[in-house]
Amino acid sequence: QVQLVESGGGVVQPGRSLKLSCAASGFPFKEHGMHWVRQAPGKGLEWVAIIWYDGSNKLYADSVRGRFTISRDNSKEMVYLQMDSLKIEDTAVYYCVRGYFSGTWPFDYWGQGTLVTVSS
Amino acid sequence: DVVMTQSPLFLPVTLGQPASISCRSSQSLVHSDGNTYLNWFQQRPGQSPRRLFYQVSNRDSGVPDRFSGSGSGTDFTLKISRVEAEDVGVYYCMQGTHWPPWTFGQGTKVEIK
């Protein structure tokens, strides 16, 4: 069965960095694009970033562009989110979400999320 | 960016009664390929979001048939024919036609009266 397991969340001071990881299993990972979506405490969902199946293209929300970097390692079936220059408003649960591949439609599987708290 | 507007934001319902959530987009969600990329998600308390529908009305596996998705262009609706206790949570619409970014509605909180 499809599994997405995020890790790496924690408490970090403003201006510092944190790297999130997402371990994927149960599907042909190297064929799928992958997204990160976040949810601030008590708030709605916000798309953060996408990486193409082969890592050839990456897109970001305006709110994180230039500070966050999405990457993947298909040999390890992992996707990452490097978060630099963190701001208090980056505090959220970060979800790893499966993207598109032929015959499937994106956002069909979500991880359990990892909480990032940016606080001094 | 496409703005997704849901209404109502809070929906108290009686068990066994119907419920309806509206989602409107700031521009048509019909893609140049002819498809309409509008999804619905359910987020139960303390859980991750779960997709219910893709492309407006295609129900995901395991979603009860009391749920239905409909609409076109800029106006979409999620309906629950008879609300059950397990349907409590927040429901989101999301567009995947005009990206980036993929954009979500604000969410509609469904609770039992």
Side-chain angles (χ1 to χ4, degrees), chain A residues 44-74:
Chain A
L45 300 168
E46 179 188 18
W47 173 80
V48 173
I50 181 179
I51 186 166
W52 258 236
Y53 69 101
D54 59 356
S56 61
N57 199 10
K58 307 169 187 181
L59 299 171
Y60 300 92
D62 288 347
S63 57
V64 306
R65 188 178 298 113
R67 300 187 300 119
F68 288 13
T69 303
I70 189 171
S71 61
R72 66 189 294 159
D73 184 334
N74 283 349

Side-chain angles (χ1 to χ4, degrees), chain A residues 2 4 32 37-38 45 55 60 63 67 73 77 85 94 96 99 105 108 115 120:
Chain A
V2 173
L4 298 168
H32 284 263
V37 174
R38 69 183 180 183
L45 300 168
Y60 300 92
S63 57
R67 300 187 300 119
D73 184 334
E77 298 191 323
S85 303
Y94 285 75
C96 173
W105 300 102
D108 56 349
L115 176 62
S120 53

Side-chain angles (χ1 to χ4, degrees), chain B residues 40-95:
Chain B
W40 286 100
F41 298 88
Q42 174 195 61
Q43 188 174 31
R44 290 171 171 152
Q47 295 187 12
S48 301
R50 165 199 184 194
R51 196 180 70 185
L52 299 177
F53 292 92
Y54 61 96
Q55 290 185 55
V56 182
S57 58
N58 292 282
R59 189 181 295 107
D60 272 287
S61 175
V63 175
D65 60 8
R66 64 178 181 276
F67 287 90
S68 63
S70 63
S72 62
T74 61
D75 288 342
F76 304 92
T77 303
L78 175 70
K79 291 183 178 178
I80 310 173
S81 59
R82 296 173 305 280
V83 172
E84 298 189 6
E86 66 178 17
D87 301 335
V88 164
V90 182
Y91 293 79
Y92 297 92
C93 60
M94 186 210 80
Q95 69 84 22

Side-chain angles (χ1 to χ4, degrees), chain A residues 10-30:
Chain A
V11 180
V12 61
Q13 292 179 326
R16 305 298 289 264
S17 299
L18 202 62
K19 187 174 184 177
L20 306 183
S21 300
C22 171
S25 61
F27 67 99
F29 178 77
K30 64 180 181 181

